[in-house]
C-alpha cells in the first residue's frame, strides 16, 4: 500500500532553479513527443537527451531522465496534445533523493549538486513508515513542498484502528461516541458573567471603563482558549487512533443562529476542531472530517432517518423505539461515518500529486508512480 506524506522545505534558490531547469527539460521532451507522436521513453531519450544537456547543462542526468519519464506519461495521457508544463515541480526517484524522517532532513539532487534540506517533524511521519520510493518537489508562490511516497507494509494493523466520533453542540461543547460529555455549563456561566459586566461598563462609557472593558475582553478570550485547549487535550489523549469530526464550517451554521450566539457568544467550534486536529496529529493520530448531514436525525441503532426522531435533547427513533441523548446519538453516527470515510481514504486516495493528477498505473486500488528503468 502506498501513502504520501508531505513536508515543507525551506524555500531556497537551489530548489527553485532546479525546478525551472527541470520544467525546461520536460518541456523540450513534450514538444518533441507531440510533434513526432511518440511517448516511447527510449525514442524520446535518444532524440532529446543531448539537446537537453546542452540547454540545461547543470541539470543532473538523473533528473533529465525523470523529466523525460514525466513528459512521456503526460504525452500518453493527453494523446500527444501540445501541452505546456506550467506547474513548477520536480520528480525524484530513489536514485536522486533520500528521506531521513528520524533526522528530519531530506537529501535532494539539485542543479548545485546533492544538498540537504531540513523539515519539521510531525506525528504523521511516524504513522506512515516504510520504504520511501518516489518524491515530488512542488514550488508554489515562494514556498517549497515535498510529497514523499511511502510504501507501507503493515497495513492491516492500521486499518483496524479505533475510531471516536465527536459531536459538538450548545449544551454540550462536545459529546464523544464513547459516552463522554463535555458540557458547556461552566463556559456559559463564565461567559454570561463577562457579558453582564461588559454591558454595564459600556453603559458607563468613561475612559477608565473603556480600559477595563478591554482588559475584560482579553481575559474572556483567554478563558475560552483555555477551555478549548483542555477539552481537545482530553479528547486526543483517549485510547483512540482516529477522530471523526464534523467538517469545519466556514460560516457559523444556521441552526446555531441567535440562540447559539446568545448562549456561547464568541465561542468558536472551529477553534476546538483545529485544536483537536493539530493535537491528534502531533501524537501520530489521524483526523477524519465527515459530512454530518442528518447525523442528528438518524437512528444510530437501525439507521432510520426522520426529523421527528429528535425531541429536543432526547433522541427517540420512530422505527425501532431506540432512545438516547440526542448528542450522543449524533456522535455515534459520526463515528460510523468516520469509519467508512477512513477506509475510503485508504483505498482510493490518489497518491503523489502527479502533474495533471490522473493515475497512470492502478494496482489493487492504490496508485503507484512507475519507476524509470532501462534506457540511458
Ligand atoms: Zn431506530
Amino acid at each position: 500500500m502506498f501513502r504520501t506524506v508531505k513536508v515543507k522545505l525551506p524555500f531556497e534558490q537551489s530548489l527553485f532553479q532546479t525546478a525551472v531547469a527541470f520544467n525546461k527539460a520536460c518541456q523540450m521532451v513534450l514538444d518533441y513527443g507531440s510533434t513526432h507522436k511518440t511517448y516511447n521513453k527510449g525514442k524520446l531519450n535518444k532524440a532529446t537527451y543531448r539537446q537537453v544537456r546542452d540547454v540545461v547543462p547543470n541539470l543532473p542526468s538523473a533528473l533529465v531522465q525523470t523529466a523525460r519519464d514525466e513528459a512521456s506519461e503526460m504525452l500518453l495521457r493527453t494523446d500527444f496534445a501540445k501541452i505546456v508544463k506550467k506547474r513548477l515541480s520536480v520528480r525524484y526517484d530513489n536514485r536522486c533523493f533520500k528521506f531521513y524522517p528520524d533526522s528530519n532532513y531530506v537529501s535532494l539532487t539539485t542543479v548545485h549538486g546533492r544538498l540537504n534540506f531540513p523539515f519539521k517533524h510531525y506525528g504523521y511521519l511516524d504513522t506512515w513508515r516504510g520504504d520511501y520510493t518516489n518524491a515530488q518537489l512542488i514550488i508554489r508562490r515562494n514556498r517549497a513542498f515535498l510529497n514523499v511516497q511511502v510504501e507501507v507494509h503493515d497495513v492491516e494493523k492500521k486499518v483496524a484502528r479505533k475510531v471516536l466520533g465527536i459531536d459538538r453542540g450548545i449544551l454540550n461543547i462536545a459529546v464523544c461516541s464513547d459516552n463522554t460529555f463535555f458540557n458547556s455549563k461552566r463556559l456559559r456561566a463564565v461567559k454570561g458573567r463577562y457579558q453582564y459586566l461588559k454591558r454595564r461598563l459600556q453603559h458607563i462609557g468613561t475612559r477608565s471603563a473603556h480600559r477595563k472593558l478591554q482588559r475584560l475582553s482579553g481575559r474572556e478570550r483567554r478563558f475560552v482558549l483555555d477551555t478549548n485547549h483542555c477539552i481537545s487535550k482530553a479528547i486526543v489523549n483517549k485510547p483512540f487512533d482516529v477522530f471523526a469530526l464534523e467538517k469545519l464550517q466556514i460560516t457559523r451554521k444556521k441552526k446555531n443562529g441567535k440562540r447559539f450566539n446568545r448562549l456561547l457568544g464568541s465561542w468558536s467550534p472551529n477553534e476546538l476542531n483545529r485544536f483537536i486536529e493539530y493535537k491528534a496529529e502531533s501524537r501520530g493520530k489521524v483526523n477524519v472530517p465527515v459530512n454530518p448531514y442528518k447525523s442528528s436525525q438518524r437512528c444510530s441503532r437501525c439507521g432510520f432517518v426522520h426529523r421527528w426522531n429528535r425531541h429536543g435533547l432526547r433522541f427517540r427513533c420512530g422505527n425501532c423505539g431506540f432512545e438516547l441523548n440526542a448528542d450522543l446519538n449524533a456522535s455515534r453516527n459520526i463515528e460510523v461515518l468516520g469509519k467508512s470515510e477512513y477506509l475510503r481514504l485508504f483505498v482510493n486516495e490518489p497518491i503523489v500529486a502527479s502533474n495533471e493528477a490522473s493515475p497512470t498505473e492502478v494496482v489493487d486500488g492504490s496508485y503507484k508512480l512507475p519507476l524509470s528503468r532501462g534506457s540511458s
Side-chain angles (χ1 to χ4, degrees):
M1 219 253 343
F2 288 86
R3 287 289 304 195
T4 300
V5 292
K6 187 178 185 180
V7 291
K8 190 172 184 241
L9 301 181
F11 180 75
E12 283 180 19
Q13 281 307 307
S14 54
L15 292 176
F16 178 73
Q17 287 161 4
T18 305
V20 171
F22 182 92
N23 269 22
K24 209 177 261 177
C26 190
Q27 192 60 51
M28 287 169 74
V29 183
L30 281 173
D31 292 344
Y32 180 89
S34 63
T35 312
H36 295 84
K37 301 267 178 278
T38 180
Y39 57 81
N40 179 288
K41 286 181 185 173
K43 276 188 194 159
L44 289 172
N45 184 59
K46 220 168 173 182
T48 60
Y49 185 77
R50 273 271 50 97
Q51 194 197 349
V52 170
R53 296 306 309 256
D54 288 344
V55 174
V56 276
N58 49 6
L59 189 69
S61 94
L63 292 182
V64 174
Q65 287 173 41
T66 55
R68 178 211 59 203
D69 292 344
E70 188 165 340
S72 160
E73 284 150 30
M74 285 167 80
L75 288 162
L76 178 62
R77 277 205 300 274
T78 57
D79 207 20
F80 310 117
K82 285 256 176 234
I83 19 175
V84 179
K85 185 179 189 294
K86 285 188 194 134
R87 182 184 195 185
L88 271 180
S89 66
V90 181
R91 177 186 290 195
Y92 284 96
D93 64 18
N94 55 5
R95 290 168 306 171
C96 39
F97 92 103
K98 199 133 179 62
F99 190 64
Y100 300 97
D102 291 313
S103 322
N104 301 330
Y105 77 94
V106 59
S107 126
L108 294 171
T109 298
T110 72
V111 289
H112 302 302
R114 192 88 171 199
L115 297 173
N116 295 337
F117 299 92
F119 54 80
K120 219 170 144 187
H121 194 100
Y122 286 103
Y124 61 80
L125 293 178
D126 300 320
T127 312
W128 306 110
R129 290 278 180 152
D131 297 328
Y132 302 98
T133 50
N134 285 279
Q136 188 187 37
L137 170 72
I138 295 166
I139 307 278
R140 202 167 40 209
R141 283 190 229 108
N142 294 339
R143 290 196 293 179
F145 298 98
L146 192 71
N147 284 334
V148 183
Q149 185 176 285
V150 196
E151 188 172 4
V152 187
H153 300 290
D154 52 346
V155 182
E156 284 73 24
K157 247 194 279 167
K158 296 211 154 96
V159 174
R161 289 170 141 224
K162 283 176 78 188
V163 180
L164 184 73
I166 302 153
D167 181 55
R168 299 160 328 189
I170 298 170
L171 291 181
N172 295 301
I173 296 175
V175 176
C176 303
S177 56
D178 68 342
N179 303 348
T180 330
F181 288 72
F182 296 93
N183 73 42
S184 62
K185 230 172 171 173
R186 193 169 128 73
L187 183 69
R188 275 180 288 137
V190 174
K191 288 213 75 126
R193 206 163 65 227
Y194 278 120
Q195 267 165 28
Y196 169 75
L197 283 171
K198 281 198 302 204
R199 260 200 310 276
R200 284 208 9 207
L201 287 167
Q202 267 158 5
H203 192 70
I204 296 168
T206 60
R207 252 187 33 218
S208 86
H210 182 72
R211 268 201 305 276
K212 195 157 183 200
L213 195 66
Q214 277 183 330
R215 251 197 331 270
L216 225 57
S217 296
R219 219 181 292 157
E220 181 183 5
R221 175 77 206 111
R222 283 191 298 280
F223 169 74
V224 173
L225 202 69
D226 184 57
T227 306
N228 277 339
H229 269 302
C230 289
I231 296 177
S232 55
K233 200 168 147 193
I235 290 176
V236 299
N237 281 340
K238 284 172 176 291
F240 289 85
D241 318 288
V242 181
F243 299 97
L245 285 154
E246 294 172 39
K247 271 189 189 127
L248 285 184
Q249 305 281 334
I250 291 153
T251 52
R252 189 164 280 176
K253 264 184 293 181
K254 264 210 188 90
K255 73 164 189 191
N256 291 335
K258 264 188 191 159
R259 180 151 173 260
F260 187 99
N261 285 334
R262 200 182 63 232
L263 285 170
L264 293 183
S266 61
W267 184 77
S268 137
N270 285 358
E271 187 177 74
L272 181 64
N273 263 26
R274 277 201 306 275
F275 284 2
I276 293 175
E277 278 171 14
Y278 90 77
K279 286 195 169 83
E281 207 155 75
S282 72
R283 285 163 176 75
K285 298 181 171 187
V286 184
N287 294 291
V288 189
V290 301
N291 184 352
Y293 182 66
K294 296 214 163 138
S295 64
S296 61
Q297 296 174 16
R298 177 189 297 275
C299 171
S300 62
R301 190 163 80 180
C302 73
F304 176 66
V305 180
H306 201 287
R307 64 196 168 88
W308 290 351
N309 281 350
R310 176 128 195 200
H311 305 267
L313 301 178
R314 208 71 201 148
F315 180 89
R316 198 181 308 124
C317 178
N319 181 47
C320 72
F322 182 61
E323 265 194 62
L324 197 67
N325 171 287
D327 291 340
L328 185 58
N329 179 66
S331 76
R332 290 187 183 174
N333 285 326
I334 289 171
E335 178 192 325
V336 173
L337 288 168
K339 257 180 201 149
S340 63
E341 187 71 7
Y342 183 62
L343 286 171
R344 196 183 65 76
L345 284 179
F346 247 100
V347 182
N348 287 331
E349 187 170 352
I351 304 295
V352 168
S354 112
N355 205 42
E356 261 65 46
S358 85
T360 43
E361 190 181 314
V362 175
V363 186
D364 290 333
S366 62
Y367 167 36
K368 187 183 175 202
L369 274 180
L371 286 170
S372 64
R373 282 201 197 87
S375 55
S376 78

